[in-house]
């Protein structure tokens, strides 16, 4: 076990598995199914939960909001469904908690902004995420990118092919600074191969890798930063929300 010090606190890392507060410190008597969809699509999760007469396993209470953990039976498989909060730190905390209480195979889905010229509502598969957020550095040693789990990628790709969907594998830029995506920074990220931007992918990948769980994500394009002089929010990819959640459920079954 080692503590790696650095001049810059964001780059300091302790590889110990033990923390003062562990995700299961409350010793709750709950068991979350092995297969879990941890999605940023709150309304669609509630709709699916209602459709499949979901059981609420538990409610994760944060200071700002309560997040129900649903369990549904989907084609004979028990699957957990939970909303992921926006932002690396908040979503990483809940994913760590889900893993400690039973989730081992997790698929997330949500929107991203495209940096290059990609049509709205295009499905993408991130294979590499640039770590421009703070949470991942508490789970993995400093590095520029984090890889997405290969088993998760294989399941996602099978799902998209089975649904006759064309898709593209991409590098994604995960950033904490929604309002700090400057023109120069966008150009810089494009030059190093990033085609899309979002806020959580690298952090969630790092949590899962640290805890030995399988995690992957299906993204769909929403707003566009491809024209640096004319930001286009489009319709934020809302036409893809229901289908994206369906794909995530099928992908987690395919793991």
């Amino acid at each position: 076990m080692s503590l790696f010090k650095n001049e810059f606190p964001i780059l300091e890392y302790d590889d110990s598995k033990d923390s003062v507060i562990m995700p299961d410190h409350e010793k709750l008597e709950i068991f979350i199914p092995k297969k879990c969809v941890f999605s940023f699509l709150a309304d669609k999760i509630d709709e699916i939960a209602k459709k499949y007469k979901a059981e609420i396993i538990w409610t994760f209470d944060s200071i700002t909001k309560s997040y129900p953990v649903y369990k549904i039976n989907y084609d004979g498989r028990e699957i957990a469904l939970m909303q992921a909060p926006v932002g690396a730190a908040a979503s990483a905390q809940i994913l760590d908690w889900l893993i400690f209480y039973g989730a081992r195979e997790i698929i997330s889905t949500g929107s991203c902004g495209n940096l290059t010229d990609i049509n709205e509502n295009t499905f993408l598969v991130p294979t590499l995420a640039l770590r421009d957020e703070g949470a991942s550095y508490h789970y993995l040693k400093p590095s520029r990118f984090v890889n997405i789990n290969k088993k998760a990628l294989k399941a996602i790709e099978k799902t998209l092919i089975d649904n006759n969907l064309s898709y593209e594998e991409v590098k994604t830029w995960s950033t904490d600074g929604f309002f700090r995506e400057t023109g120069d920074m966008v150009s810089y990220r494009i030059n190093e191969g990033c085609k899309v931007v979002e806020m959580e992918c690298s952090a969630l990948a790092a949590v899962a890798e640290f805890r030995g769980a399988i995690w992957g994500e299906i993204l769909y394009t929403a707003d566009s930063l491809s024209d640096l002089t004319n930001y286009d929010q489009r319709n934020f990819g809302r036409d893809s929300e229901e289908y994206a959640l369906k794909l995530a459920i099928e992908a987690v079954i395919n793991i």
Side-chain angles (χ1 to χ4, degrees):
M1 302 296 179
S2 300
L3 177 63
F4 301 90
K5 297 182 179 181
N6 194 284
E7 178 184 358
F8 304 104
I10 192 69
L11 300 179
E12 293 183 321
Y13 173 68
D14 187 347
D15 64 5
S16 173
K17 296 287 186 181
D18 296 319
S19 305
V20 176
I21 304 172
M22 296 294 285
D24 64 344
H25 70 100
E26 295 174 289
K27 305 302 178 187
L28 303 173
E29 294 185 0
I30 60 173
F31 180 76
I32 293 169
K34 178 180 179 181
K35 294 185 178 293
C36 176
V37 171
F38 186 49
S39 171
F40 297 92
L41 308 174
D43 292 342
K44 298 305 176 184
I45 287 176
D46 290 341
E47 290 174 13
I48 287 287
K50 183 177 181 180
K51 178 180 178 179
Y52 285 90
K53 298 180 174 59
E55 170 190 349
I56 297 179
I57 302 172
W58 194 257
T59 300
F60 185 99
D61 292 318
S62 73
I63 293 173
T64 55
K65 184 176 178 179
S66 295
Y67 299 86
V69 185
Y70 296 112
K71 181 173 71 174
I72 65 170
N73 186 298
Y74 190 93
D75 289 343
R77 302 289 192 98
E78 283 192 347
I79 297 174
L81 297 175
M82 188 177 184
Q83 178 194 349
V86 172
S91 58
Q93 178 191 9
I94 295 182
L95 179 62
D96 208 350
W97 179 85
L98 284 168
I99 290 170
F100 258 77
Y101 281 103
R104 305 301 298 172
E105 300 170 354
I106 308 110
I107 297 293
S108 294
T109 188
S111 66
C112 61
N114 57 273
L115 305 178
T116 57
D117 189 15
I118 306 173
N119 290 333
E120 187 179 5
N121 298 303
T122 299
F123 287 104
L124 302 170
V125 182
T127 60
L128 206 61
L130 189 144
R131 299 169 66 182
D132 190 18
E133 39 69 36
S136 67
Y137 294 91
H138 299 280
Y139 289 88
L140 298 178
K141 291 180 182 179
S143 63
R144 194 156 191 84
F145 292 94
V146 60
N147 291 299
I148 310 304
N149 185 279
K150 290 183 179 180
K151 289 184 178 179
L153 289 176
K154 185 177 180 180
I156 290 169
E157 289 164 2
K158 180 183 186 309
T159 301
L160 295 174
I161 291 170
D162 287 348
N163 281 271
N164 297 312
L165 289 172
S166 59
Y167 66 93
E168 184 178 353
E169 294 183 344
V170 296
K171 288 182 183 178
T172 182
W173 167 25
S174 300
T175 177
D176 285 334
F178 184 87
F179 290 125
R180 290 298 299 149
E181 296 165 7
T182 65
D184 285 346
M185 189 63 75
V186 170
S187 296
Y188 179 37
R189 297 299 183 227
I190 292 171
N191 287 337
E192 61 182 324
C194 295
K195 291 191 173 182
V196 296
V197 59
E198 38 65 47
M199 301 183 73
E200 304 87 10
C201 185
S202 57
L204 298 181
V207 171
E209 181 176 330
F210 181 77
R211 297 299 186 193
I214 297 170
W215 177 88
E217 185 167 33
I218 300 170
L219 295 174
Y220 57 89
T221 49
D223 55 334
S224 176
L225 288 78
S226 62
D227 182 349
L228 296 179
T229 62
N230 184 29
Y231 168 65
D232 187 0
Q233 68 179 28
R234 303 193 286 200
N235 193 38
F236 279 112
R238 290 188 177 91
D239 291 342
S240 296
E241 292 177 351
E242 185 173 353
Y243 197 16
L245 186 55
K246 171 184 177 291
L247 293 172
I249 293 171
E250 291 180 5
V252 84
I253 289 174
N254 283 330
I255 295 177

Tab-separated table of all heavy atoms in Angstrom, residues 102-124:
chain	number	residue	atom	x	y	z
A	102	GLY	N	-23.784	-5.051	-4.196
A	102	GLY	CA	-24.122	-6.178	-5.063
A	102	GLY	C	-23.987	-5.986	-6.559
A	102	GLY	O	-23.879	-6.959	-7.300
A	103	ALA	N	-24.044	-4.754	-7.051
A	103	ALA	CA	-23.952	-4.533	-8.505
A	103	ALA	C	-22.531	-4.815	-8.978
A	103	ALA	O	-21.572	-4.263	-8.446
A	103	ALA	CB	-24.342	-3.102	-8.840
A	104	ARG	N	-22.398	-5.680	-9.968
A	104	ARG	CA	-21.070	-6.032	-10.483
A	104	ARG	C	-20.960	-5.820	-11.987
A	104	ARG	O	-19.858	-5.751	-12.530
A	104	ARG	CB	-20.735	-7.500	-10.168
A	104	ARG	CG	-20.829	-7.877	-8.715
A	104	ARG	CD	-19.919	-7.055	-7.839
A	104	ARG	NE	-18.510	-7.229	-8.176
A	104	ARG	CZ	-17.521	-6.510	-7.658
A	104	ARG	NH1	-17.794	-5.544	-6.804
A	104	ARG	NH2	-16.267	-6.728	-8.012
A	105	GLU	N	-22.088	-5.775	-12.666
A	105	GLU	CA	-22.122	-5.566	-14.113
A	105	GLU	C	-23.046	-4.384	-14.370
A	105	GLU	O	-24.257	-4.492	-14.183
A	105	GLU	CB	-22.613	-6.830	-14.825
A	105	GLU	CG	-21.714	-8.038	-14.564
A	105	GLU	CD	-22.308	-9.340	-15.064
A	105	GLU	OE1	-23.483	-9.333	-15.519
A	105	GLU	OE2	-21.626	-10.379	-14.978
A	106	ILE	N	-22.473	-3.255	-14.760
A	106	ILE	CA	-23.222	-2.002	-14.802
A	106	ILE	C	-23.070	-1.343	-16.168
A	106	ILE	O	-21.963	-1.248	-16.699
A	106	ILE	CB	-22.737	-1.026	-13.714
A	106	ILE	CG1	-22.736	-1.698	-12.331
A	106	ILE	CG2	-23.602	0.230	-13.685
A	106	ILE	CD1	-21.356	-1.957	-11.781
A	107	ILE	N	-24.186	-0.904	-16.703
A	107	ILE	CA	-24.185	-0.106	-17.930
A	107	ILE	C	-24.856	1.229	-17.643
A	107	ILE	O	-25.931	1.286	-17.041
A	107	ILE	CB	-24.932	-0.819	-19.081
A	107	ILE	CG1	-24.229	-2.129	-19.461
A	107	ILE	CG2	-25.032	0.114	-20.303
A	107	ILE	CD1	-22.847	-1.958	-20.081
A	108	SER	N	-24.209	2.298	-18.068
A	108	SER	CA	-24.788	3.637	-17.960
A	108	SER	C	-25.164	4.138	-19.350
A	108	SER	O	-24.643	3.654	-20.356
A	108	SER	CB	-23.790	4.604	-17.326
A	108	SER	OG	-23.536	4.261	-15.976
A	109	THR	N	-26.045	5.095	-19.381
A	109	THR	CA	-26.368	5.753	-20.641
A	109	THR	C	-26.768	7.188	-20.378
A	109	THR	O	-27.343	7.519	-19.336
A	109	THR	CB	-27.481	5.016	-21.413
A	109	THR	OG1	-27.613	5.598	-22.710
A	109	THR	CG2	-28.811	5.092	-20.696
A	110	GLY	N	-26.418	8.050	-21.331
A	110	GLY	CA	-26.745	9.458	-21.208
A	110	GLY	C	-26.261	10.209	-22.432
A	110	GLY	O	-25.696	9.628	-23.362
A	111	SER	N	-26.477	11.503	-22.409
A	111	SER	CA	-26.143	12.319	-23.575
A	111	SER	C	-24.721	12.846	-23.494
A	111	SER	O	-24.082	12.828	-22.437
A	111	SER	CB	-27.118	13.491	-23.687
A	111	SER	OG	-26.958	14.370	-22.586
A	112	CYS	N	-24.240	13.330	-24.610
A	112	CYS	CA	-22.931	13.983	-24.678
A	112	CYS	C	-23.015	15.119	-25.680
A	112	CYS	O	-23.894	15.154	-26.539
A	112	CYS	CB	-21.840	12.985	-25.080
A	112	CYS	SG	-22.085	12.243	-26.714
A	113	GLY	N	-22.082	16.040	-25.581
A	113	GLY	CA	-21.962	17.080	-26.586
A	113	GLY	C	-20.939	16.669	-27.612
A	113	GLY	O	-19.915	16.080	-27.272
A	114	ASN	N	-21.226	16.922	-28.887
A	114	ASN	CA	-20.225	16.544	-29.885
A	114	ASN	C	-19.282	17.713	-30.164
A	114	ASN	O	-19.686	18.867	-30.232
A	114	ASN	CB	-20.860	16.015	-31.169
A	114	ASN	CG	-21.826	16.956	-31.827
A	114	ASN	OD1	-23.002	16.969	-31.499
A	114	ASN	ND2	-21.332	17.755	-32.773
A	115	LEU	N	-17.998	17.373	-30.292
A	115	LEU	CA	-16.966	18.367	-30.583
A	115	LEU	C	-16.721	18.472	-32.074
A	115	LEU	O	-16.275	19.508	-32.568
A	115	LEU	CB	-15.667	17.988	-29.872
A	115	LEU	CG	-15.747	17.776	-28.359
A	115	LEU	CD1	-14.394	17.363	-27.809
A	115	LEU	CD2	-16.242	19.032	-27.657
A	116	THR	N	-16.972	17.377	-32.777
A	116	THR	CA	-16.832	17.350	-34.231
A	116	THR	C	-18.230	17.281	-34.843
A	116	THR	O	-19.229	17.234	-34.127
A	116	THR	CB	-15.977	16.153	-34.669
A	116	THR	OG1	-16.572	14.946	-34.168
A	116	THR	CG2	-14.564	16.269	-34.119
A	117	ASP	N	-18.316	17.257	-36.136
A	117	ASP	CA	-19.611	17.327	-36.822
A	117	ASP	C	-20.302	15.966	-36.799
A	117	ASP	O	-20.088	15.126	-37.671
A	117	ASP	CB	-19.401	17.800	-38.263
A	117	ASP	CG	-20.723	18.108	-38.967
A	117	ASP	OD1	-21.745	18.233	-38.263
A	117	ASP	OD2	-20.726	18.210	-40.201
A	118	ILE	N	-21.143	15.746	-35.784
A	118	ILE	CA	-21.896	14.507	-35.638
A	118	ILE	C	-23.366	14.869	-35.488
A	118	ILE	O	-23.718	15.766	-34.714
A	118	ILE	CB	-21.440	13.694	-34.403
A	118	ILE	CG1	-19.932	13.447	-34.436
A	118	ILE	CG2	-22.191	12.369	-34.330
A	118	ILE	CD1	-19.397	12.790	-33.172
A	119	ASN	N	-24.226	14.175	-36.196
A	119	ASN	CA	-25.656	14.461	-36.122
A	119	ASN	C	-26.191	14.209	-34.719
A	119	ASN	O	-25.711	13.342	-33.991
A	119	ASN	CB	-26.418	13.586	-37.117
A	119	ASN	CG	-26.160	13.981	-38.560
A	119	ASN	OD1	-25.841	15.132	-38.860
A	119	ASN	ND2	-26.294	13.025	-39.463
A	120	GLU	N	-27.216	14.971	-34.360
A	120	GLU	CA	-27.897	14.742	-33.091
A	120	GLU	C	-28.512	13.344	-33.088
A	120	GLU	O	-28.889	12.805	-34.126
A	120	GLU	CB	-28.990	15.794	-32.887
A	120	GLU	CG	-29.649	15.739	-31.517
A	120	GLU	CD	-30.715	16.816	-31.332
A	120	GLU	OE1	-31.012	17.546	-32.307
A	120	GLU	OE2	-31.244	16.913	-30.218
A	121	ASN	N	-28.609	12.750	-31.881
A	121	ASN	CA	-29.212	11.429	-31.680
A	121	ASN	C	-28.411	10.304	-32.347
A	121	ASN	O	-28.974	9.277	-32.728
A	121	ASN	CB	-30.661	11.409	-32.178
A	121	ASN	CG	-31.546	12.387	-31.418
A	121	ASN	OD1	-31.640	12.315	-30.194
A	121	ASN	ND2	-32.162	13.316	-32.137
A	122	THR	N	-27.108	10.481	-32.440
A	122	THR	CA	-26.225	9.407	-32.912
A	122	THR	C	-25.697	8.637	-31.707
A	122	THR	O	-25.223	9.242	-30.735
A	122	THR	CB	-25.041	9.997	-33.700
A	122	THR	OG1	-25.539	10.696	-34.841
A	122	THR	CG2	-24.085	8.904	-34.150
A	123	PHE	N	-25.780	7.314	-31.761
A	123	PHE	CA	-25.277	6.500	-30.658
A	123	PHE	C	-23.771	6.278	-30.812
A	123	PHE	O	-23.274	5.972	-31.899
A	123	PHE	CB	-26.004	5.163	-30.589
A	123	PHE	CG	-27.414	5.294	-30.071
A	123	PHE	CD1	-28.501	5.232	-30.935
A	123	PHE	CD2	-27.649	5.514	-28.719
A	123	PHE	CE1	-29.792	5.372	-30.462
A	123	PHE	CE2	-28.939	5.659	-28.238
A	123	PHE	CZ	-30.015	5.586	-29.107
A	124	LEU	N	-23.064	6.431	-29.690
A	124	LEU	CA	-21.615	6.312	-29.673
A	124	LEU	C	-21.180	5.428	-28.512
A	124	LEU	O	-21.871	5.339	-27.485
A	124	LEU	CB	-20.970	7.693	-29.518
A	124	LEU	CG	-21.331	8.736	-30.586
A	124	LEU	CD1	-20.821	10.107	-30.161
A	124	LEU	CD2	-20.751	8.345	-31.936
